[in-house]
Amino acid sequence: MEMRAVVLDGPGEPEDLRVRRVPVPVPDPGPGWVRIKVEAFGLNRSEYHLRAGLATNARFPVIPGIEAAGTIDLAPGGEFEPGQQVVAMMGGMGREYDGGYAEYTVVPVSSVIPVETDLDWATLGALPEMLQTAHGSLHTGLAIEPGQTLLIRGGTSSVGVAAAAIAKEHGLTVFSTTRNPQRTKVLSDLGVDYPIVDDGNIAARVREIVPAGVNAALELIGTNVLPDTLQATAIHGTVCFTGMLSDNWTIPDFYPIGYLPNGVRLTAYGGESTDLPAAAFQRYVDLVADGKLPIRIDRVFTMEQIGEAHRIMQDGAAVGKLVVRTGVGPTT
């Protein structure tokens, strides 16, 4: 059997991405791996890094995609039932082995989370990696508590949108940034308490509202603005470095005493699907379905529009998640 898939032969431009017909993958007999019929997948910055030649662990050719949503098609080890709704993410998807940019994908059981929902596939496809990264950053990286103040640097990204929603649901006061003044209303509509237009220096404006600084900050832009984010954070507060929207990853000649404000903690998050328990993911999905967790999808694409979708992601032109619906199944 054959299927449609996006195969990346090497680094290139968004328009170099094309849909091909390739054999449907087959999992090895026995436990450990399953085949998922992919109904939708979200786009992630990690896939931009791979396509642009910025990934350090790339192998080619490869089917990209670090997440997918669909149903179990084959489970040789009996870990799941055929037809069962699932999502899959991380664990080497789209790097060590072929990922979710396809009509079918074979993944390890450890990367799969079962779910029950009536959400449409595009919405469910938007959630796995976005919720996993936001959940892990907030709870593992920042250990947020109700009543705290939180700054999200890069608030209109998909993770920024999810983090704001999760933090508000958890009882925090949320500051969130955007470089585009026209997007502040979008942040307000998503429940953000203090949308801030980001010109690269926002610490002073944050401290005009909370003079002592915020209790927690989620850095999604990169090391180019990290010092300013640290300056916006209170003594004994924590900054979690999770994202690199600016593609600035490292700190040259890092001198901690000169770099870190007194008493401000710096941590990071880059976890796996196991950091998001199935019960927590199901709860978030239920909240989305009930309209209590506002998650924004910027646009839904067909597989044939993958190049256009990557261009929008690369240019930072989306507010929220970009999703692809796979469409028809394989032909023999």
Side-chain angles (χ1 to χ4, degrees), residues 131 134 138 150 152 155 158-172 174 176 187 190-192 284 287-288 292-296:
L131 288 177
L138 295 178
L150 169 71
I152 301 172
S158 60
V159 174
V161 168
I166 291 172
K168 288 301 299 179
E169 196 270 336
H170 201 67
L172 278 75
V174 176
S176 190
L187 292 176
L190 289 168
V192 170
Y284 287 143
L287 288 171
V288 172
K292 298 177 181 178
L293 195 69
I295 298 298
R296 181 182 170 95

Side-chain angles (χ1 to χ4, degrees), residues 140-264:
T140 301
L142 293 171
I144 60 171
E145 296 289 345
Q148 290 183 327
T149 50
L150 169 71
L151 168 65
I152 301 172
R153 199 78 184 257
T156 56
S157 65
S158 60
V159 174
V161 168
I166 291 172
K168 288 301 299 179
E169 196 270 336
H170 201 67
L172 278 75
T173 298
V174 176
F175 297 66
S176 190
T177 73
T178 174
R179 291 177 299 172
N180 186 341
Q182 297 179 346
R183 293 181 177 177
T184 56
K185 184 179 185 304
V186 174
L187 292 176
S188 295
D189 291 344
L190 289 168
V192 170
D193 298 283
Y194 298 102
I196 296 175
V197 178
D198 194 342
D199 62 358
N201 297 283
I202 64 164
R205 275 175 285 165
V206 170
R207 286 180 178 269
E208 287 175 0
I209 302 168
V210 279
V214 294
N215 303 118
L218 175 56
E219 180 57 73
L220 298 174
I221 294 180
T223 57
N224 56 319
V225 298
L226 179 58
D228 186 57
T229 300
L230 289 162
Q231 291 293 335
T233 306
I235 293 175
H236 300 155
T238 303
V239 176
C240 180
F241 188 88
T242 294
M244 295 156 290
L245 294 168
S246 64
D247 295 334
N248 286 275
W249 304 12
T250 59
I251 303 171
D253 302 319
F254 177 59
Y255 175 50
I257 292 177
Y259 193 91
L260 297 172
N262 289 334
V264 177

Side-chain angles (χ1 to χ4, degrees), residues 24-328:
V24 173
V26 180
D28 292 333
W33 293 72
V34 298
R35 185 166 74 193
I36 297 173
K37 182 180 185 296
V38 179
E39 297 289 348
F41 58 85
L43 270 63
N44 298 280
R45 198 74 179 175
S46 170
E47 295 136 16
Y48 154 68
H49 291 153
L50 177 69
R51 196 261 308 150
L54 302 175
T56 57
N57 61 342
R59 69 165 183 85
F60 299 104
V62 67
I63 297 173
I66 64 171
E67 67 177 325
T71 56
I72 294 293
D73 184 62
L74 281 177
E79 297 92 345
F80 298 97
E81 294 294 326
Q84 187 173 358
Q85 273 187 314
V86 295
V87 299
M89 70 188 98
M90 307 290 286
M93 284 182 70
R95 295 289 182 91
E96 298 173 20
Y97 54 89
D98 287 338
Y101 282 25
E103 291 180 313
Y104 287 81
T105 187
V106 171
V107 299
V109 170
S110 59
S111 295
V112 180
I113 299 177
V115 63
E116 294 183 9
T117 183
D118 292 326
L119 286 174
D120 63 273
W121 284 116
T123 302
L124 184 61
L127 300 181
E129 177 63 14
M130 180 169 62
L131 288 177
Q132 182 269 331
T133 303
H135 175 92
S137 297
L138 295 178
H139 290 286
T140 301
L142 293 171
I144 60 171
E145 296 289 345
Q148 290 183 327
T149 50
L150 169 71
L151 168 65
I152 301 172
R153 199 78 184 257
T156 56
S157 65
S158 60
V159 174
V161 168
I166 291 172
K168 288 301 299 179
E169 196 270 336
H170 201 67
L172 278 75
T173 298
V174 176
F175 297 66
S176 190
T177 73
T178 174
R179 291 177 299 172
N180 186 341
Q182 297 179 346
R183 293 181 177 177
T184 56
K185 184 179 185 304
V186 174
L187 292 176
S188 295
D189 291 344
L190 289 168
V192 170
D193 298 283
Y194 298 102
I196 296 175
V197 178
D198 194 342
D199 62 358
N201 297 283
I202 64 164
R205 275 175 285 165
V206 170
R207 286 180 178 269
E208 287 175 0
I209 302 168
V210 279
V214 294
N215 303 118
L218 175 56
E219 180 57 73
L220 298 174
I221 294 180
T223 57
N224 56 319
V225 298
L226 179 58
D228 186 57
T229 300
L230 289 162
Q231 291 293 335
T233 306
I235 293 175
H236 300 155
T238 303
V239 176
C240 180
F241 188 88
T242 294
M244 295 156 290
L245 294 168
S246 64
D247 295 334
N248 286 275
W249 304 12
T250 59
I251 303 171
D253 302 319
F254 177 59
Y255 175 50
I257 292 177
Y259 193 91
L260 297 172
N262 289 334
V264 177
R265 306 177 180 111
L266 175 61
T267 186
Y269 180 76
E272 290 286 346
S273 58
T274 51
D275 294 338
L276 180 59
F281 182 72
Q282 183 67 60
R283 177 174 174 272
Y284 287 143
V285 169
D286 291 342
L287 288 171
V288 172
D290 291 341
K292 298 177 181 178
L293 195 69
I295 298 298
R296 181 182 170 95
I297 296 176
D298 187 273
R299 185 171 166 187
V300 179
F301 299 86
T302 66
M303 286 183 68
E304 285 71 21
Q305 295 172 310
I306 189 66
E308 179 185 355
H310 259 250
R311 174 61 66 185
I312 291 172
M313 176 169 62
Q314 177 175 303
D315 294 345
V319 179
K321 192 75 171 181
L322 301 172
V323 182
V324 173
R325 281 284 278 120
T326 57
V328 299

